[in-house]
Amino acid sequence: MKGNIYFKGMIEEKEVVNLLGDLISINSVNPLEDRSAKGEKELASYVRGYLKNTGIKSILQPVLDERPNVIGIVESENKGKNFVLEAHMDTVKVDNMTIDPFLPKIKEGKMFGRGACDDKGSLAAMLLAMKLLKQKNIPLKGDVYLAAVVDEEHKYRGVSYLLNQGFKFDAGIVGEPTDLDIIIAHKGCLRWRIITKGISAHSSEPEKGKNAIYLMSEVIDAIQKRLIPLCKEESHPLVSSPTLSVDIIQGGNEINIIPDRCFIEIDRRMIPGENDRDVLKEVDKFLDELMRENPLLEVEREDPFVASPPMQIDEDEEVVQALFKCAKDIRAAEPKIRGVGFDTDAGKFVARGIPTPVFGPGNIAQAHSENEWVEIKQVVQAAEIIAQTIVVYQDAD
């Protein structure tokens, strides 16, 4: 390895177990997933304390009420390429879990608990990589940042805030469960609400009203027959086809009143090359056609409440090649360079011209699961690979 710096074997499993166990034991459920949750404040305090104890300076970014980003910085005396490691602190809710979500347990080399896979395994690996760089006094060619951000599981406000603060990032890694493969493309996510409007009436005289639920059933039927097949006409070599699904429906207030309003919420996954403007233009055309066909149908589309772009970077990007070489060497196995269907914060970095592959320990199938876990060995390897990648990337000319 360039510069005779080699991190393989420098992380002990015991250190991973202690750090990851601490992270899991702190409840950082996103409040928009669970209204009773307090969010990321306590975890942010822990992360900042860990950085301080490691001799790494940090700052808090007050993104939301008592929900700050934490930015750690290992500074270099040189003015080379700056690198950013980004992982989110929030988790989804715990209602479905069959294990104690905040009591980390180890079995067969795996650590169990909410966030073990998504995304505290990656956060632990990145904290340990920063510790290696700092405590080994690595001669860095540029500054290295750790961004532990909020609100990834809902509206991505943590990463959006980070990217609006004027930092200079030349490249980075976004931590998510990839089984230590390297992700260079993923789908984006667009979510919005469609409303049908009716007329209230007593349920004993339904003919005097206009049932918004019945009208919505026409919209849903048309979505299945017209919009979803359009998605299947497109494809991408790394992430397959775009998708569209109706995942929430709500209408009516009383059993004896004809509902005058019904809404659905739609999840549309965009492939690289698509954008929210064109997708919504297609949806509006579809709704206009429906209302022309049925004059009784009154439909409104609200603006998206989530708009996250798809991502694709070139396999030949320096950061991708550095990550591939280091992962192959430290794992003693060749990682895959591939695409995925899920969305990550990397799309926001790439949209700003910052090449940022997705990489981390764990399998996406475990994310949000009832007995979420991550392999401890993978967290160890991820930390060593990430630290090595930063050095190799910064050394490349």
Side-chain angles (χ1 to χ4, degrees):
M1 285 290 177
K2 228 171 187 181
N4 296 318
I5 297 166
Y6 194 42
F7 291 110
K8 186 174 183 178
M10 285 196 176
I11 298 291
E12 295 183 2
E13 283 198 6
K14 181 180 179 181
E15 189 171 12
V16 167
V17 167
N18 290 336
L19 174 57
L20 183 56
D22 284 350
L23 297 178
I24 291 170
S25 68
I26 298 172
N27 181 341
S28 59
V29 172
N30 192 309
L32 291 165
E33 285 274 333
D34 177 355
R35 299 293 181 183
S36 66
K38 296 181 180 179
E40 304 90 341
K41 181 182 178 181
E42 185 180 351
L43 185 57
S45 178
Y46 177 92
V47 169
R48 197 173 192 199
Y50 181 92
L51 292 169
K52 181 179 179 180
N53 291 338
T54 309
I56 297 172
K57 80 171 190 177
S58 66
I59 59 173
L60 289 180
Q61 294 180 332
V63 182
L64 302 165
D65 185 27
E66 296 194 328
R67 297 175 62 193
N69 289 343
V70 182
I71 313 300
I73 311 167
V74 177
E75 293 180 307
S76 169
E77 296 179 358
N78 302 299
K79 299 300 179 184
K81 296 178 288 189
N82 294 342
F83 204 93
V84 59
L85 304 173
E86 194 256 35
H88 64 89
M89 295 184 288
D90 59 324
T91 72
V92 296
K93 57 188 177 181
V94 301
D95 298 2
N96 67 322
M97 298 197 74
T98 57
I99 60 174
D100 189 323
F102 309 119
L103 184 63
K105 290 189 176 180
I106 299 171
K107 184 179 180 181
E108 298 177 347
K110 304 168 183 175
M111 182 169 286
F112 292 77
R114 176 56 87 220
C117 175
D118 183 17
D119 194 30
K120 294 178 180 181
S122 287
L123 179 57
M126 289 178 170
L127 284 167
L128 290 166
M130 294 286 282
K131 181 179 179 180
L132 279 178
L133 296 174
K134 180 66 176 180
Q135 295 195 338
K136 300 298 180 181
N137 293 314
I138 303 303
L140 297 168
K141 301 293 181 64
D143 297 337
V144 180
Y145 297 84
L146 169 74
V149 304
V150 302
D151 200 43
E152 189 272 348
E153 296 289 1
H154 192 69
K155 289 190 175 181
Y156 310 99
R157 287 172 289 186
V159 66
S160 298
Y161 188 96
L162 168 71
L163 290 170
N164 287 330
Q165 300 310 302
F167 291 106
K168 178 183 177 291
F169 302 136
D170 294 286
I173 295 171
V174 164
E176 290 285 358
T178 72
D179 264 334
L180 303 184
D181 286 339
I182 299 158
I183 306 307
I184 61 169
H186 66 59
K187 294 180 182 179
C189 182
L190 190 65
R191 292 174 179 154
W192 71 91
R193 180 178 286 187
I194 289 176
I195 300 167
T196 51
K197 298 178 180 180
I199 299 173
S200 292
H202 196 277
S203 59
S204 64
E205 298 179 301
E207 69 281 358
K208 292 185 177 180
K210 187 167 72 169
N211 193 314
I213 293 177
Y214 294 166
L215 297 174
M216 185 59 78
S217 70
E218 294 184 31
V219 175
I220 294 173
D221 183 61
I223 286 173
Q224 289 181 288
K225 292 177 178 177
R226 300 187 197 182
L227 275 186
I228 292 176
L230 285 177
C231 290
K232 296 176 181 178
E233 292 177 3
E234 303 293 331
S235 187
H236 184 278
L238 293 176
V239 303
S240 189
S241 296
T243 62
L244 185 150
S245 57
V246 177
D247 298 327
I248 291 177
I249 182 168
Q250 184 174 314
N253 296 308
E254 301 290 344
I255 190 62
N256 61 345
I257 298 176
I258 300 301
D260 62 355
R261 189 176 185 273
C262 181
F263 73 80
I264 56 173
E265 290 184 357
I266 292 177
D267 180 290
R268 172 64 154 81
R269 299 296 167 130
M270 300 176 289
I271 61 175
E274 289 191 305
N275 61 67
D276 50 354
R277 181 187 65 255
D278 290 341
V279 168
L280 294 173
K281 184 177 179 181
E282 182 178 76
V283 171
D284 290 341
K285 180 182 177 183
F286 159 78
L287 294 176
D288 287 342
E289 289 174 354
L290 283 185
M291 287 188 283
R292 282 198 300 271
E293 293 166 8
N294 181 359
L296 293 177
L297 189 62
E298 186 177 354
V299 184
E300 175 185 326
R301 175 188 62 78
E302 293 186 346
D303 290 336
F305 54 87
V306 169
S308 181
M311 180 277 278
Q312 183 172 12
I313 56 177
D314 198 294
E315 186 174 335
D316 294 329
E317 284 281 356
E318 286 184 355
V319 62
V320 175
Q321 288 302 306
L323 183 53
F324 177 81
K325 291 173 184 175
C326 297
K328 181 179 178 180
D329 186 69
I330 289 175
R331 290 180 64 190
E334 188 163 309
K336 296 176 183 176
I337 298 178
R338 59 185 176 92
V340 294
F342 58 86
D343 180 39
T344 81
D345 282 346
K348 294 75 171 171
F349 285 92
V350 173
R352 303 288 184 106
I354 305 164
T356 314
V358 184
F359 173 84
N363 188 299
I364 192 63
Q366 282 301 313
H368 309 181
S369 66
E370 62 184 16
N371 64 339
E372 185 175 351
W373 54 264
V374 68
E375 285 188 27
I376 296 167
K377 182 180 178 181
Q378 280 202 0
V379 181
V380 171
Q381 292 177 326
E384 295 169 351
I385 291 166
I386 289 167
Q388 193 74 57
T389 297
I390 293 167
V391 175
V392 171
Y393 169 79
Q394 290 189 337
D395 277 349
D397 296 321

